[in-house]
Amino acid sequence: MHVTHLSLADFRSYARVEVPLDPGVTAFVGANGQGKTNLVEAVGYLATLGSHRVASDAPLVRMGAERAVIRAAVTQGERQQLVELELNPGRANRARINRSSQVKPRDVLGIVRTVLFAPEDLALVKGDPGERRRFLDELITARSPRMAGVRSDYERVLKQRNTLLKSAAMARRHGGRSMDLSTLDVWDQHLGQVGAELLAQRLDLIATLQPMADKAYEQVAPGGGPVGLEYRSSLGEGVVAGQSREELYEQVLAALVGARKQEIERGVTLVGPHRDDLVLKLGQLPAKGYASHGESWSIALALRLASYDLLRAEGNEPVLVLDDVFAELDVRRRERLAELVAPGEQVLVTAAVDDDVPGVLAGKRYVVSGGEVAPA
């Protein structure tokens, strides 16, 4: 799969830009702040319905504009599709596939798949658990786009349940009458159903990804492994790969019952997939706090390479995006990464200067400057 044309309107710094793309390597070269990352960010948005740089859509719309449009022509084998997203901050986004407006934004998931390497990846190792949960959930959705609906349902149920708990906590603190919490049982069941599905998908992903991540780490940093992936659930140590949805559902319900008193006191849901973590290990030690800067980079790169290998093995090779990542790496890791990604069907690279792009990634070059994108 590869993108053959990218069109942006009022996206980030671009009032309008048209960029033809070919299979193989394409590098966007330009000084910082000229808009090269904006181009690959747009491709990534089509794949995930989110940005790797910001949490909301508002910064993606050019200052003074009401909306932004991302449009891409995509080729997979003999099939060609035109996918378009209209970003409307504060209102519902809109989507079109092959110019049909009878689709939801979620329906575009799976048409474009990407694996992104970026400086922000270091947060996968050194950052908060939310970074690692997002990594898992985006990869789950790339494998199975229907999981976007499960994730959305989980967030909706969690929000409703937290609202009820918060109201109960406020009433208790102010000496009011006890609230009727019978509806909490209903929300527990809903949370258990979607939470069990999300847990099952995460556990299956980690089991599948583990040998690929270990292999990728050996490729990036020979002799430095092994790297380990361990799922740490807020439900306790009984959550393991291979359990049925029914078993996981019962575990979620039991954990919610056990935590209910504390949850009512604090006004928030304390157990569930939203409180879990992916513990990354180097040897027997947790990478966070023990791995060096170089080792942390190698683990992050290994996770991305493993993601690429997984998606490719499942039949839909993703677009590889390397956003200013080479400037962050030492020479050895830079060359190793370049060699590993060079055979990809489509590789999009951004760099401040030509010298940051390894020679093995020879291909098409664009110069990005002052909001203009021109062939080198």
Side-chain angles (χ1 to χ4, degrees), residues 79-362:
R79 188 182 186 188
Q80 296 184 339
Q81 290 182 281
L82 183 66
V83 56
E84 177 180 310
L85 285 174
E86 181 181 283
L87 279 55
N88 299 294
R91 294 174 290 129
N93 292 342
R94 301 171 64 184
R96 297 204 300 173
I97 299 174
N98 295 330
R99 304 197 182 281
S100 170
S101 59
Q102 303 302 312
V103 298
K104 300 176 182 178
R106 225 161 51 198
D107 295 334
V108 310
L109 291 170
I111 297 176
V112 178
R113 297 190 185 192
T114 63
V115 171
L116 171 74
F117 299 77
E120 291 84 357
D121 284 348
L122 205 56
L124 288 175
V125 182
K126 296 187 173 184
D128 295 331
E131 300 286 348
R132 292 178 286 278
R133 289 194 297 267
R134 178 181 173 184
F135 163 76
L136 291 175
D137 292 345
E138 287 187 350
L139 186 51
I140 285 168
T141 304
R143 296 178 78 192
S144 177
R146 73 171 184 85
M147 285 303 298
V150 175
R151 292 168 60 190
S152 178
D153 288 345
Y154 186 85
E155 292 168 3
R156 177 182 57 81
V157 173
L158 181 64
K159 183 178 179 180
Q160 294 284 356
R161 191 174 188 277
N162 281 341
T163 298
L164 182 59
L165 287 170
K166 185 176 180 180
S167 297
M170 292 292 290
R172 181 170 182 169
R173 288 169 192 161
H174 291 88
R177 296 171 61 183
S178 297
M179 290 184 58
D180 179 8
L181 294 176
S182 59
T183 54
L184 197 57
D185 292 332
V186 177
W187 289 117
D188 285 0
Q189 293 170 16
H190 289 322
L191 197 72
Q193 290 167 355
V194 288
E197 179 64 23
L198 188 54
L199 275 173
Q201 292 284 343
R202 285 181 181 177
L203 292 167
D204 175 70
L205 172 62
I206 291 171
T208 305
L209 202 62
Q210 172 63 78
M212 295 180 174
D214 206 25
K215 176 186 174 182
Y217 189 87
E218 177 64 23
Q219 292 174 318
V220 173
V227 63
L229 312 180
E230 178 184 306
Y231 193 76
R232 185 167 295 169
S233 174
S234 57
L235 308 184
E237 296 181 357
V239 175
V240 295
Q243 289 181 282
S244 69
R245 269 62 169 174
E246 291 75 17
E247 291 172 321
L248 292 170
Y249 170 74
E250 293 298 333
Q251 285 178 279
V252 174
L253 286 187
L256 291 171
V257 170
R260 178 169 291 192
K261 182 179 179 181
Q262 189 179 5
E263 287 183 335
I264 292 173
E265 291 174 351
R266 296 179 58 178
V268 68
T269 303
L270 297 175
V271 293
H274 65 289
R275 305 280 291 196
D276 296 353
D277 195 6
L278 170 63
V279 179
L280 305 172
K281 292 186 174 182
L282 192 57
Q284 299 301 312
L285 296 174
K288 186 176 182 179
Y290 287 91
S292 68
H293 184 75
E295 289 170 334
S296 296
W297 259 117
S298 293
I299 294 171
L301 294 176
L303 290 175
R304 294 302 187 191
L305 287 168
S307 302
Y308 170 64
D309 288 340
L310 175 60
L311 294 177
R312 183 173 58 173
E314 293 181 344
N316 191 354
E317 184 166 343
V319 177
L320 289 169
V321 179
L322 295 95
D323 179 25
D324 270 337
V325 71
F326 290 115
E328 302 287 334
L329 304 177
D330 58 41
V331 173
R332 181 173 64 87
R333 288 183 176 85
R334 180 185 300 191
E335 294 300 326
R336 290 295 296 141
L337 177 60
E339 291 170 2
L340 291 168
V341 303
E345 181 177 349
Q346 186 169 50
V347 184
L348 305 180
V349 182
T350 71
V353 294
D354 273 320
D355 289 346
D356 283 346
V357 184
V360 71
L361 294 179

Side-chain angles (χ1 to χ4, degrees), residues 45 55-61 65-68 86-94:
Y45 194 101
S56 68
D57 288 347
L60 305 179
V61 179
E66 293 184 359
R67 63 184 64 85
E86 181 181 283
L87 279 55
N88 299 294
R91 294 174 290 129
N93 292 342
R94 301 171 64 184

